[in-house]
Amino acid sequence: MSIFHLIIFICFLLSISYLVFLTSASWCPPLTFPQQTTRQFEQRTDRFWEFQEESNSWVEVKLPFDLVSCVNDNCTKVGLIDQTSKTEEEHLANGKDVSNKTKSLKMREGDLIGLEENSYTVLPLRRRMSLTKMSDTSIWVTGESGSIYERFWNGVQWVIAPHDLQISAGRAVSVLIVNQTIFTISEEGNLYQMKLSDWVELKPAFNQSINKEAEQSSVIQMKSGTVSYDGLRVYFCTKTGLLLELSEVEPPRWENHGRPPGADVAAIADMARIRTDVVYTISPTGDLYEYDKSSRPSWKKHLQSEETDKDGSLVPLQGCMIYGLSGDHSVSLFLLSKGGKLVERRLHQRKWKWITHGSPEDHHLTSITPFLEDELKERFFSLFLTTSTGSVFEYQIPKHLGTVQEDQIAEAWQNHMHPPNAKAARGIPGLKFQLGRILFALDDGRLAELHLPGLGGQNSGPTNQFNRKKLSSKYIWSILDAPESEGWNGEYCTEERGPMNCIAGIKDEPNDSGNIRSLTRRRKGTKAQQDYLSLGTSRSRLVKASEEYRFPDNWINTSFRLRLVQAGVSFFIITEAGLIFEYLYTESVWLWLRHDHSTPMRGALGNYNGSVFFVDVYGTLLIRERSNNELAWINCTAMRKGRQVIGGPPWDGMSGKLKVTAEDALFFVSKSGRLLQFSVALRKFKWKDCRSPPETKLACIIDQEVFRENIVFVVGRNGRLYQYNKVTELWHEHHQSQHLVLSRLPGTAMRPSFFSLTGSLFMLSEDGGLVEYHWNAWNGWNWVEHGTPSKDVTLVAPPSPCIKGNQLFLIGSDGNIYLRYMDQLIWRWKNCGFPQNGDGDTRDQTEMGANDRMQEVCMDNDPTANLDINLKNPNDQNRKCDPKVAPTRPIPFSEDSVIFELRDGRLAEIQKVQDSKWVWQRIIGTPTSSCKGSYLTALAS
């Protein structure tokens, strides 16, 4: 009965509580809402996210961020999210309250460069970059593109050797070297071993009678790996949170150590040097665990102190272990907290304790460079750490210091900043490969070496002997180029005898064999300086032409009127009225094929795998392709995130370099001046907004991945040259004199050999002269001004395609075409006139002097069977024929011929017969030409 009375009593209490609640609610005064007419939006954070439909996820945006409203593909800027007075670093530190005033960094003596305007921009994570040392002469690198390459000292210079995974294996994320055996982990989590220069997949195999979880070894995916200090074993962390050990390589011997009770292994922090069976791991929740196979239980959890709890849990990243910091038998494990602080787990006199070392003021630490045992300084240990904004700090720790005082910590941080116009990659630890020499991966895909003067740099090999007393304590930066897989200019080594040999370099006298070096007069005042400028730091803001420039009405039509589909077989032409005609060779007959569409066209912007991309008068991007033996139209602008466009790539790839990959894409310029990427591989069409450089609208694309793989060169409407890196998704501005303003016309790339990166970009200047941007391994980038063929002639159309790596055509204001070619390392001009005009004054002007001229003639072909009939009087007014060349961008028709448009609407083909000898081959009548000729037409269906 007691239980029954207890239940009745509880019910009675609940009923009374409910009655009191109702009574209180009935006496609540009515809610009033004061007017908020004077309230203003107050920004309290610098962290905003944008939803990306491609990845179906939220991605943090970089500030300042433009708020854009798009209605019917007409996009306008309606607002701006700018940074508050708080720095990005302060917001990363768990949202701690700080002063609203921006805190300036306290710079110590010896800092390399000053802060830039965008120094507080938090960099994206580069998850595929890694640095691994095999020896003092061999450094293995995985790039952001997923490629693998080796920096090897061949006795003469550092060379780059490629070691990429096969395409089917995917991208690499790290390299491990165990007892001279090389492993790599792919992005999918597969492990590969290098055998006889080939990558062979290695699947873990366990004794299934011992561990039931090992039965699923066939689906085990690796996340990361760490090699033991003796270099004989490697520990792996799997994507499912297991700790695996490869204790022997040949034959492979695997051990599955499982996971901590109630937790997973997210990262391997470090391994003990003395007790080689002890491994320290970090869980996804940021807890530190110790694994010792010789003890029971094997897994132990290190509880955090109240002080470390305030800074947040640990970041699952590689740490650094130092012995003898506070005594001969002490052990210190340095880790990072999620608040960006440096923390230490110290074992001294058989007692563990946590010590917080903090971080530099207003900075958030993201990686620790592993410690090198033999340090230069005798009284200090030095740790090098990277920050989320791309800076590198050195933390000096006094040896045998029992307790680190706060005032000593503040003086212990030394800011080495970052290389000029480049930032250290966020979250990627550096690599100490020699005393006083540390390698860092840069956010833009290159490498940088932080070294003591006289000990390192691009041309400095491994140093074995040096005088410690004469060494300076001030570090300097040297930038090291990366290969083309990352969008840069590092050339791969060769098997040929010479300084670039992959095994043993031999000093050789410089020569120009196979490498064309521009000997043209360079602009006065050019000095050696940084070619790649960080956006927002150049003086290009002084050029206000970006907003003032207006495109001519026929800009698209003259720049993209012609497009080659198949060499020697088919090309397209867009007429002034917007009609589309294809000139096709079929069944031994040339005919014009008309392609109808409901809206008039403006130009042909690209060609991929037989599909041609057109733009209509409204800026709509359309694909014309053959499907099931029928021709069809596809509206790309109507697709998800589609945009209206005004331009595309000038050319469709380099001869001998064309290959179809799963990442193929075409780039276009939008009406609003932004760069757009349109993926076309495997017909998985997808738009991506690559944006544009700050305060700059784009005018046109100079080159897409012909001159450099993964790089798109563009010209802004301010007449400056920029590049976009597909791999890192970064923009760079190239150094350019303020007096050199480029025209807003497409350019052309000249790369004589697919196996060499030496070559040039050719563009026109605003005043109608030819400009070359040349690169070679000796001098890097250099601007070369070729000027005009003569004083009374300017260049009025984009350059023709490159022919044989040393020739290209330009169209003059007088209606003649001019050949720019190299003869015995000297650039020359040749006047090739126009069809049926062999009487002109043709001159060859060399760069040795304006008065040094020679007679050169581009002849008309004698046989006239291919010419239009009755051309004896081409200037007959009744026939309305004008054979002079129109200012329309020419196209290649074969390896040795180029197609031009004439002023009367016809086309003309010029062909190379030998070296720099060219002849006019034929004139092609067109359906809309004012000078009528004979041709066949048909309607495409």
Side-chain angles (χ1 to χ4, degrees):
M1 295 297 293
S2 60
I3 297 178
F4 175 78
H5 287 88
L6 178 62
I7 295 175
I8 294 298
F9 180 73
I10 293 175
C11 293
F12 176 76
L13 290 179
L14 290 176
S15 62
I16 293 177
S17 300
Y18 179 71
L19 179 61
V20 171
F21 172 76
L22 291 177
T23 304
S24 300
S26 65
W27 282 99
C28 288
L31 295 176
T32 59
F33 298 93
Q35 294 183 353
Q36 302 292 336
T37 56
T38 60
R39 289 190 65 181
Q40 294 182 352
F41 172 75
E42 181 181 358
Q43 183 177 335
R44 294 177 177 269
T45 181
D46 280 346
R47 302 191 70 183
F48 294 86
W49 284 262
E50 178 185 19
F51 186 75
Q52 284 192 351
E53 296 180 358
E54 298 91 343
S55 59
N56 196 31
S57 61
W58 290 92
V59 178
E60 188 171 359
V61 299
K62 296 180 181 179
L63 300 186
F65 182 77
D66 293 337
L67 297 175
V68 179
S69 174
C70 294
V71 179
N72 295 328
D73 296 325
N74 184 18
C75 299
T76 57
K77 178 180 174 181
V78 296
L80 174 71
I81 301 177
D82 206 347
Q83 290 183 346
T84 63
S85 58
K86 292 184 180 181
T87 67
E88 294 280 355
E89 295 290 357
E90 294 167 335
H91 287 295
L92 286 173
N94 285 342
K96 290 186 177 181
D97 293 333
V98 295
S99 173
N100 288 333
K101 298 182 180 180
T102 304
K103 296 182 179 180
S104 60
L105 289 180
K106 297 179 179 179
M107 311 282 287
R108 293 190 54 176
E109 293 184 1
D111 289 345
L112 300 177
I113 61 176
L115 283 175
E116 301 170 357
E117 294 182 11
N118 57 351
S119 295
Y120 289 124
T121 301
V122 176
L123 302 176
L125 284 174
R126 303 298 185 188
R127 302 185 184 278
R128 303 187 192 103
M129 292 181 176
S130 70
L131 300 169
T132 306
K133 176 182 175 181
M134 185 175 188
S135 65
D136 287 346
T137 60
S138 177
I139 306 297
W140 288 64
V141 183
T142 58
E144 183 62 16
S145 69
S147 68
I148 306 172
Y149 64 93
E150 176 188 6
R151 290 193 79 246
F152 178 73
W153 179 258
N154 65 3
V156 174
Q157 66 182 45
W158 290 101
V159 295
I160 299 175
H163 300 289
D164 290 341
L165 283 169
Q166 49 270 32
I167 296 178
S168 60
R171 298 165 171 170
V173 296
S174 64
V175 171
L176 305 167
I177 301 175
V178 186
N179 196 19
Q180 303 301 313
T181 302
I182 304 170
F183 297 91
T184 187
I185 300 175
S186 72
E187 198 168 31
E188 289 74 19
N190 299 321
L191 180 65
Y192 294 87
Q193 178 182 352
M194 178 171 280
K195 292 185 177 181
L196 300 176
S197 300
D198 292 325
W199 292 106
V200 179
E201 186 175 0
L202 180 63
K203 294 184 178 181
F206 304 96
N207 185 351
Q208 297 184 5
S209 61
I210 298 178
N211 197 322
K212 294 182 179 180
E213 195 169 6
E215 295 178 2
Q216 300 179 353
S217 61
S218 58
V219 296
I220 286 181
Q221 294 177 314
M222 304 297 184
K223 182 179 179 182
S224 61
T226 304
V227 180
S228 61
Y229 287 101
D230 57 14
L232 301 178
R233 294 167 295 121
V234 58
Y235 289 89
F236 294 96
C237 165
T238 71
K239 292 185 177 182
T240 57
L242 297 175
L243 178 65
L244 307 182
E245 177 186 356
L246 181 61
S247 56
E248 294 181 10
V249 177
E250 294 295 342
R253 181 183 175 186
W254 289 91
E255 295 183 56
N256 187 345
H257 300 304
R259 54 172 59 89
D264 290 330
V265 177
I268 300 173
D270 213 329
M271 288 168 291
R273 284 189 175 93
I274 299 175
R275 299 174 59 196
T276 57
D277 291 335
V278 176
V279 182
Y280 298 92
T281 67
I282 301 175
S283 70
T285 56
D287 295 317
L288 178 65
Y289 288 88
E290 176 183 340
Y291 175 79
D292 185 358
K293 67 168 63 176
S294 62
S295 67
R296 291 293 181 270
S298 299
W299 290 98
K300 300 182 181 65
K301 181 178 181 179
H302 289 245
L303 299 177
Q304 296 191 32
S305 64
E306 294 182 0
E307 183 179 0
T308 56
D309 277 338
K310 294 179 182 179
D311 293 320
S313 53
L314 301 176
V315 181
L317 292 174
Q318 181 182 4
C320 177
M321 184 170 288
I322 299 178
Y323 287 84
L325 181 61
S326 57
D328 294 336
H329 302 288
S330 66
V331 179
S332 297
L333 177 60
F334 287 89
L335 304 165
L336 295 180
S337 70
K338 291 182 179 179
K341 308 294 183 182
L342 178 66
V343 297
E344 176 188 354
R345 184 60 167 165
R346 180 180 295 178
L347 175 63
H348 183 56
Q349 296 179 351
R350 298 185 179 182
K351 292 182 180 180
W352 285 101
K353 66 178 179 179
W354 289 97
I355 298 175
T356 300
H357 294 268
S359 63
E361 186 178 8
D362 299 335
H363 281 278
H364 182 100
L365 303 176
T366 61
S367 72
I368 305 176
T369 297
F371 180 72
L372 197 64
E373 291 187 17
D374 189 7
E375 289 288 345
L376 292 175
K377 299 180 178 66
E378 296 181 356
R379 296 184 301 122
F380 292 91
F381 285 105
S382 288
L383 290 178
F384 288 83
L385 306 98
T386 62
T387 70
S388 60
T389 56
S391 296
V392 174
F393 279 85
E394 178 183 1
Y395 184 60
Q396 297 179 345
I397 312 170
K399 295 182 179 178
H400 305 296
L401 183 63
T403 303
V404 181
Q405 303 296 329
E406 288 294 331
D407 56 346
Q408 293 174 317
I409 293 177
E411 298 178 359
W413 294 102
Q414 182 174 355
N415 191 352
H416 294 289
M417 297 300 291
H418 47 75
N421 298 305
K423 301 288 186 67
R426 172 186 168 192
I428 307 300
L431 176 66
K432 290 186 178 181
F433 72 102
Q434 277 201 315
L435 290 175
R437 304 181 67 176
I438 312 167
L439 285 179
F440 289 93
L442 297 181
D443 183 61
D444 60 23
R446 293 177 293 179
L447 303 178
E449 183 177 346
L450 183 63
H451 58 90
L452 298 174
L455 279 187
Q458 176 66 43
N459 301 319
S460 178
T463 305
N464 296 322
Q465 296 181 355
F466 51 86
N467 191 338
R468 296 190 181 187
K469 295 182 180 180
K470 295 183 179 181
L471 289 178
S472 170
S473 60
K474 180 180 179 180
Y475 282 85
I476 59 176
W477 285 102
S478 295
I479 294 183
L480 313 176
D481 223 337
E484 194 178 10
S485 63
E486 312 308 309
W488 295 100
N489 310 302
E491 297 201 8
Y492 291 120
C493 60
T494 66
E495 297 180 359
E496 299 178 358
R497 184 179 183 272
M500 288 289 291
N501 187 271
C502 294
I503 305 299
I506 299 175
K507 291 184 179 181
D508 199 1
E509 295 182 358
N511 61 77
D512 294 297
S513 176
N515 294 294
I516 299 175
R517 299 183 63 185
S518 298
L519 302 180
T520 315
R521 179 181 68 256
R522 293 189 174 94
R523 178 179 290 274
K524 295 181 180 180
T526 299
K527 298 179 180 180
Q529 50 193 307
Q530 293 293 326
D531 298 312
Y532 300 94
L533 304 178
S534 296
L535 296 175
T537 62
S538 71
R539 294 169 295 174
S540 63
R541 296 181 180 182
L542 300 177
V543 182
K544 298 182 179 179
S546 177
E547 298 297 333
E548 299 172 357
Y549 183 80
R550 294 294 181 268
F551 290 98
D553 294 336
N554 63 342
W555 184 88
I556 299 178
N557 199 259
T558 56
S559 298
F560 300 98
R561 187 193 299 274
L562 301 170
R563 201 82 195 189
L564 179 68
V565 178
Q566 185 177 352
V569 176
S570 170
F571 65 85
F572 278 87
I573 181 173
I574 312 298
T575 69
E576 291 285 353
L579 300 177
I580 308 171
F581 288 95
E582 179 183 4
Y583 196 53
L584 179 65
Y585 185 76
T586 176
E587 298 181 358
S588 302
V589 176
W590 285 101
L591 59 86
W592 285 104
L593 194 64
R594 194 178 74 189
H595 296 256
D596 286 340
H597 192 267
S598 58
T599 58
M601 293 295 160
R602 297 285 297 276
L605 302 187
N607 170 32
Y608 176 80
N609 200 24
S611 298
V612 184
F613 293 77
F614 295 92
V615 59
D616 67 9
V617 292
Y618 304 108
T620 304
L621 184 66
L622 301 157
I623 300 178
R624 185 61 161 168
E625 66 175 12
R626 186 172 298 277
S627 177
N628 298 326
N629 297 325
E630 293 184 359
L631 291 172
W633 289 100
I634 299 177
N635 190 332
C636 303
T637 300
M639 295 179 184
R640 199 180 197 181
K641 290 193 174 182
R643 294 289 186 271
Q644 294 175 325
V645 300
I646 61 171
W651 312 112
D652 298 312
M654 178 180 179
S655 178
K657 190 180 178 180
L658 295 175
K659 58 181 180 180
V660 178
T661 68
E663 299 176 355
D664 286 350
L666 271 68
F667 285 83
F668 302 94
V669 177
S670 71
K671 277 189 173 182
S672 59
R674 299 161 78 96
L675 185 67
L676 305 175
Q677 179 178 339
F678 186 67
S679 299
V680 294
L682 305 176
R683 293 185 56 81
K684 295 180 180 179
F685 301 129
K686 184 174 63 174
W687 285 96
K688 177 182 177 181
D689 187 357
C690 303
R691 305 189 180 182
S692 62
E695 301 183 8
T696 304
K697 292 183 178 181
L698 302 184
C700 63
I701 297 175
I702 296 296
D703 174 69
Q704 179 193 327
E705 300 186 87
V706 175
F707 190 69
R708 284 291 179 273
E709 187 178 354
N710 297 317
I711 294 295
V712 181
F713 292 92
V714 300
V715 168
R717 297 182 189 179
N718 56 5
R720 316 292 295 180
L721 180 66
Y722 301 89
Q723 73 171 42
Y724 174 77
N725 190 316
K726 264 175 52 175
V727 178
T728 61
E729 301 181 355
L730 292 178
W731 284 96
H732 281 90
E733 181 180 358
H734 284 263
H735 177 266
Q736 181 178 334
S737 169
Q738 291 293 315
H739 303 288
L740 176 60
V741 180
L742 301 175
S743 70
R744 288 72 167 176
L745 293 172
T748 190
M750 180 178 287
R751 185 165 162 179
S753 171
F754 170 70
F755 301 100
S756 174
L757 299 181
T758 298
S760 302
L761 294 173
F762 285 90
M763 299 155 280
L764 298 187
S765 63
E766 194 174 42
D767 56 5
L770 179 63
V771 179
E772 175 188 3
Y773 195 41
H774 179 77
W775 188 91
N776 62 41
W778 298 278
N779 302 320
W781 289 104
N782 280 291
W783 287 99
V784 181
E785 290 188 81
H786 294 258
T788 60
S790 62
K791 294 182 179 179
D792 55 348
V793 175
T794 58
L795 305 177
V796 294
S800 77
C802 163
I803 299 104
K804 300 300 182 183
N806 61 359
Q807 302 178 51
L808 72 159
F809 285 101
L810 288 307
I811 301 173
S813 56
D814 56 356
N816 295 331
I817 68 167
Y818 295 87
L819 178 66
R820 190 60 166 166
Y821 69 102
M822 180 169 282
D823 181 24
Q824 297 180 355
L825 300 180
I826 298 177
W827 283 105
R828 302 179 184 273
W829 287 105
K830 181 184 294 185
N831 186 347
C832 292
F834 52 86
Q836 299 297 303
N837 179 35
D839 300 327
D841 181 18
T842 58
R843 296 183 177 182
D844 183 359
Q845 180 180 342
T846 69
E847 292 299 330
M848 301 302 293
N851 297 324
D852 182 14
R853 303 192 177 191
M854 300 173 56
Q855 293 283 338
E856 283 286 0
V857 179
C858 287
M859 301 171 293
D860 291 325
N861 196 12
D862 291 335
T864 59
N866 291 326
L867 299 178
D868 278 355
I869 60 174
N870 195 18
L871 287 178
K872 294 182 180 180
N873 187 9
N875 295 318
D876 186 352
Q877 297 298 322
N878 295 327
R879 293 180 52 83
K880 298 181 180 179
C881 295
D882 186 355
K884 288 191 175 182
V885 181
T888 301
R889 186 171 64 94
I891 62 169
F893 191 56
S894 66
E895 292 184 356
D896 299 318
S897 67
V898 181
I899 297 290
F900 293 87
E901 184 185 23
L902 305 183
R903 290 179 178 178
D904 56 27
R906 295 174 300 167
L907 303 177
E909 178 184 359
I910 192 170
Q911 190 172 36
K912 187 169 72 71
V913 291
Q914 61 179 15
D915 296 333
S916 61
K917 302 294 183 181
W918 291 81
V919 298
W920 288 104
Q921 182 68 20
R922 60 172 173 163
I923 294 178
I924 304 170
T926 61
T928 59
S929 172
S930 59
C931 183
K932 300 299 181 182
S934 300
Y935 51 81
L936 297 176
T937 61
L939 180 63
S941 62

